[in-house]
Amino acid sequence: MKKTLSFLIALMISLSFAAPCFAAETATRTFTDSCGRAVEIPETITKVAVSGPLAQIVLFPLCADLFVGTASDWTKEATRFIPERYLSLPQLGQLYGGKGDLNPESLLASGAEIVIDIGEPKKSIREDMDNLTEQTGIPFVHIDAYTATMGDTYRMLGDLTGRTEKAETLAAYCDEIYARALDLGSKTEKVSVLYLTGIGQNVIAKGSYHAELLDMMADNLAVVESPSGKGTGNEVSPEQLLLWDPAVLLVAPGAYEQILGDPVITELTAVRNGFCYEVPNGPYNWMGFPPSVQRLLGVLWLGTLLYPETVDYDLFTEVHRYFALFYEHDLTEAEFAELTARSLPVAEKAA
């Protein structure tokens, strides 16, 4: 990551003549981000760049009309639900993550007035944001994002972008779904679960950033010494999987046949009892890859999947509501059935 940032900064210096500068008459204000950094930003923001896919997903329902580009191409699943007008935006690349391919020339040419980074802060986040702000002339800000505090994340973003009314609508929804999850947890004994990522026999380990939702909604049996911060999870042995032996097995999108073709996996109690389910994926992984706001869909899905006798909502109704609010999409029952084809018990799908 340090090499990537050094390269970006060096290249941006060489291109600094193209960096947007706030004219003397342009009104600015000071915004304090989640790192405690006081950053000078335009009083009215009209052009936004995002640092990565997580920020792209979180910001989309709030201010997609301000995007000057995307961090990554829309996935095939996403293109079915994202309005057409956003599909042709240029790809600028991402700052963090496995790719680390943020394109300096494209960023500077985009006219971005601000770059917004959202998610779990890296150890070097203050230094990274300060260096990039100083060298490019574009304010870089970081906003923390966790499932438990997603409502507050949107309130900060509303203040940042000037979209306070829309942000409060999104924040209230996030608070509502999270409170519902807490209430559900207080009424039930958690079901034992493992989540396999489809990378070998890797699991999403308890206590990791990617396991926030799983740890909240279930008894995540994947306890390891050093939980990975990557979405690919922790590699474990076949013997360990058999020792954990969960009641329910979740598998990453696209890995269903692969997982069930593993002779070790077929020995698990969950598989032998028919309790193996694929995580829904549309527009993104509902369990969080990346670990963004779509995890609220995962809250609703896991509630129905693991505690059907306790939940007091209809899953299709709730998912339809989410798609309308976050993607401006009128989800049909046929689309819902396709999204959850391998994600619900047979009795639930037939109901």
Side-chain angles (χ1 to χ4, degrees):
M1 184 60 233
K2 289 183 178 179
K3 291 182 179 179
T4 300
L5 281 173
S6 297
F7 171 76
L8 287 172
I9 290 172
L11 189 52
M12 286 175 170
I13 291 174
S14 70
L15 296 170
S16 59
F17 65 87
C21 298
F22 303 140
E25 66 272 13
T26 300
T28 64
R29 66 186 179 96
T30 300
F31 176 82
T32 302
D33 71 2
S34 294
C35 305
R37 300 167 54 251
V39 185
E40 187 176 10
I41 64 172
E43 184 171 329
T44 301
I45 294 173
T46 61
K47 296 180 180 180
V48 170
V50 296
S51 72
L54 195 158
Q56 183 172 313
I57 297 170
V58 172
L59 283 167
F60 184 83
L62 180 65
C63 60
D65 58 307
L66 304 184
F67 283 8
V68 294
T70 60
S72 59
D73 285 334
W74 301 108
T75 65
K76 178 181 178 182
E77 293 79 14
T79 58
R80 298 172 52 197
F81 305 109
I82 300 296
E84 180 69 28
R85 61 186 179 277
Y86 301 119
L87 299 181
S88 59
L89 290 171
Q91 183 178 335
L92 304 179
Q94 63 188 74
L95 180 60
Y96 293 108
K99 294 183 178 180
D101 58 355
L102 181 66
N103 187 306
E105 299 100 320
S106 297
L107 175 63
L108 292 169
S110 72
E113 299 165 337
I114 191 167
V115 180
I116 303 176
D117 178 64
I118 300 175
E120 182 184 37
K122 307 296 184 288
K123 292 182 179 180
S124 60
I125 192 66
R126 287 182 63 96
E127 180 183 358
D128 295 346
M129 298 293 102
D130 284 344
N131 285 342
L132 289 167
T133 297
E134 179 180 356
Q135 301 297 345
T136 66
I138 306 173
F140 278 67
V141 301
H142 170 79
I143 307 296
D144 287 350
Y146 299 93
T147 301
T149 56
M150 191 58 70
D152 291 335
T153 295
Y154 272 115
R155 291 183 180 95
M156 283 193 72
L157 290 170
D159 178 30
L160 174 63
T161 62
R163 302 286 178 87
T164 54
E165 184 175 349
K166 177 64 173 180
E168 183 54 40
T169 298
L170 297 168
Y173 175 87
C174 295
D175 291 345
E176 175 193 335
I177 301 303
Y178 182 71
R180 182 182 292 175
L182 292 181
D183 181 62
L184 179 63
S186 69
K187 296 176 180 177
T188 59
E189 181 177 350
K190 290 185 176 180
V191 174
S192 65
V193 172
L194 284 181
Y195 179 16
L196 301 186
T197 67
I199 308 298
Q201 293 172 336
N202 288 21
V203 297
I204 295 296
K206 187 173 184 177
S208 68
Y209 183 52
H210 287 267
E212 275 192 333
L213 173 55
L214 193 62
D215 294 350
M216 177 175 64
M217 298 293 293
D219 176 17
N220 183 4
L221 298 179
V223 177
V224 302
E225 185 174 343
S226 300
S228 172
K230 298 181 179 180
T232 51
N234 285 82
E235 182 178 357
V236 296
S237 68
E239 293 77 15
Q240 183 60 71
L241 291 178
L242 293 172
L243 285 172
W244 280 328
D245 198 25
V248 172
L249 184 68
L250 307 180
V251 299
Y256 194 80
E257 287 90 355
Q258 170 198 334
I259 293 296
L260 292 185
D262 186 323
V264 173
I265 302 300
T266 58
E267 291 298 312
L268 295 175
T269 298
V271 177
R272 288 189 283 109
N273 289 341
F275 298 145
C276 178
Y277 305 101
E278 186 175 47
V279 176
N281 187 41
Y284 297 93
N285 182 322
W286 290 12
M287 290 293 290
F289 192 68
S292 192
V293 68
Q294 82 276 2
R295 288 194 287 189
L296 295 177
L297 285 171
V299 168
L300 296 165
W301 169 61
L302 283 181
T304 297
L305 179 68
L306 302 178
Y307 313 107
E309 297 180 357
T310 305
V311 297
D312 59 356
Y313 56 84
D314 173 71
L315 184 59
F316 169 71
T317 300
E318 290 295 333
V319 174
H320 181 278
R321 177 187 174 200
Y322 181 97
F323 272 71
L325 182 60
F326 285 81
Y327 301 122
E328 302 178 17
H329 183 79
D330 184 13
L331 189 73
T332 67
E333 292 192 21
E335 288 171 331
F336 173 77
E338 185 177 349
L339 286 171
T340 58
R342 294 173 169 172
S343 309
L344 294 171
V346 174
E348 178 74 21
K349 288 185 285 188

